[in-house]
Amino acid sequence: NWFTRYKGDQCLVETLGAWLKRSKTTGKPEQKVTLAVIRSTEIDSAGEQDDALFRSALENVMRRLEQGVRKAFDRGFEVAVLATDHGFLYLPHRAAGDQVTKPSGQLKVCHARYAFGKVDPADHLICFGGPQLGYRLAEEARLAVPASLGTFTKPPEYVHGGLSLQEALVPVVTVTQVQKVKTPKRLPVTLRYREKKEAVLRTLRPAVTVQVGGAEAPELAFDEGWANRQADILIKVTTADGAEAGRVDPNRYLDPDTGTLQIGPGTTTQIPVRIHEEVRGSVTVRAVDPTTQKTYDTITFELEILE
């Protein structure tokens, strides 16, 4: 009601369940709505009804809260604030002494974690009078809470109402939608050997041509997004059965720490490859993305080495 009085018809107030039932295309709030107040009491309801149910319910509630935030972004809101009116204690393993003596006196209210009325002070209690609470109370009226994490009743697993940090200090989580970043298109990387993709090789030290950018190189060179970007390329040399058959020799583009080539767009260069002395037969040279292990391009050699 306070939000509605404050924002008028710019405010939408409803339960989390009703909010999640809204689709992206139907039931859309009017354009003038600038504030949506979405309420949920599911955590309290589950905790106070059934201790065994609470654990599974809590996970489900957190998932529904996430869905609620995503729904807010889908409907055009830019910021979602998650807040609560109080915290709670969840203590599934209670120990001896967790149940403390109920306050004596003329009590008007006695909850698991607080009591109110003409409370008799005691060492196991923390008591507050009217001036400390900011209320006008009868002179002998006090609010009493346990000085420990104990309860005045048989200890349930879920409880709230006292002055523990978990009950009294609650977080406010602000989630801001970020603009979706376009996934950069992959730089085309091609391999050739003397302008061929397959060749008969009579040397164990071929120079493989690596081209980054290809036909798109002139465009990419002037594209701000690619201006300072280099392609990370891993060269793999393998036999027909996948065994390692060689490696890249040192060159100006090779990072000795990672073993990858770092070549900018619009570059065509020859990279020296060293094939192991004992290798014969079919050899494949692949240019691979070192992060995703996806293959950029492949060339195949058939070794014919004179003994």
Side-chain angles (χ1 to χ4, degrees):
N1 290 338
W2 185 92
F3 280 113
T4 303
R5 289 197 302 269
Y6 177 65
K7 295 289 289 185
D9 58 4
Q10 294 183 13
C11 181
L12 169 71
V13 180
E14 63 187 18
T15 65
L16 178 61
W19 177 251
L20 292 178
K21 288 180 181 178
R22 290 180 175 268
S23 66
K24 293 182 180 180
T25 55
T26 61
K28 191 172 184 178
E30 296 78 7
Q31 294 297 320
K32 60 186 176 182
V33 172
T34 60
L35 174 68
V37 181
I38 311 303
R39 300 175 290 104
S40 170
T41 59
E42 292 170 285
I43 293 179
D44 263 359
S45 298
E48 292 175 350
Q49 289 181 14
D50 191 317
D51 289 343
L53 177 65
F54 177 71
R55 290 186 293 273
S56 58
L58 186 60
E59 181 178 349
N60 183 56
V61 170
M62 297 306 295
R63 183 163 52 247
R64 284 167 60 84
L65 289 175
E66 179 186 358
Q67 293 171 350
V69 172
R70 293 183 181 277
K71 176 75 70 174
F73 293 156
D74 288 341
R75 302 191 70 83
F77 293 95
E78 297 179 356
V79 178
V81 179
L82 286 79
T84 183
D85 55 345
H86 64 82
F88 60 87
L89 293 172
Y90 178 58
L91 302 172
H93 304 291
R94 289 288 188 170
D98 282 346
Q99 183 172 353
V100 299
T101 303
K102 179 180 175 180
S104 60
Q106 300 177 20
L107 305 181
K108 296 291 186 181
V109 176
C110 187
H111 192 267
R113 289 277 294 161
Y114 64 87
F116 177 75
K118 294 182 178 180
V119 179
D120 297 330
D123 291 340
H124 69 285
L125 302 176
I126 300 176
C127 296
F128 301 90
Q132 293 169 298
L133 298 173
Y135 287 96
R136 292 182 180 179
L137 301 177
E139 185 176 350
E140 297 179 354
R142 296 185 181 91
L143 173 70
V145 298
S148 66
L149 296 182
T151 58
F152 298 139
T153 60
K154 181 180 178 181
E157 294 183 0
Y158 173 91
V159 67
H160 61 86
L163 285 184
S164 67
L165 291 178
Q166 296 93 323
E167 294 164 294
L169 297 184
V170 295
V172 175
V173 179
T174 301
V175 185
T176 303
Q177 185 180 32
V178 298
Q179 297 297 323
K180 293 183 179 180
V181 179
K182 293 182 179 179
T183 303
K185 52 186 176 181
R186 197 170 82 173
L187 278 171
V189 177
T190 57
L191 298 178
R192 297 189 308 277
Y193 177 72
R194 296 181 179 178
E195 302 302 324
K196 297 179 180 179
K197 307 296 286 184
E198 298 179 2
V200 174
L201 201 61
R202 294 184 174 87
T203 176
L204 297 177
R205 306 290 185 272
V208 175
T209 300
V210 179
Q211 184 177 13
V212 178
E216 298 183 55
E219 174 190 345
L220 295 173
F222 291 96
D223 186 323
E224 185 178 350
W226 296 101
N228 298 312
R229 176 171 177 170
Q230 292 182 321
D232 291 327
I233 306 167
L234 178 63
I235 300 296
K236 290 188 175 184
V237 185
T238 58
T239 61
D241 59 3
E244 181 181 312
R247 56 179 173 79
V248 173
D249 268 349
N251 61 85
R252 59 176 293 196
Y253 298 103
L254 181 66
D255 183 338
D257 294 326
T258 64
T260 61
L261 302 174
Q262 297 180 340
I263 306 177
T267 301
T268 300
T269 185
Q270 289 192 327
I271 299 298
V273 173
R274 179 187 295 267
I275 299 175
H276 298 327
E277 296 288 342
E278 68 279 7
V279 174
R280 295 293 183 270
S282 180
V283 173
T284 299
V285 178
R286 291 190 297 140
V288 176
D289 184 324
T291 302
T292 64
Q293 294 299 306
K294 290 184 178 180
T295 299
Y296 289 114
D297 198 11
T298 303
I299 55 177
T300 303
F301 293 128
E302 193 67 33
L303 292 182
E304 290 187 4
I305 305 299
L306 298 177
E307 301 296 339

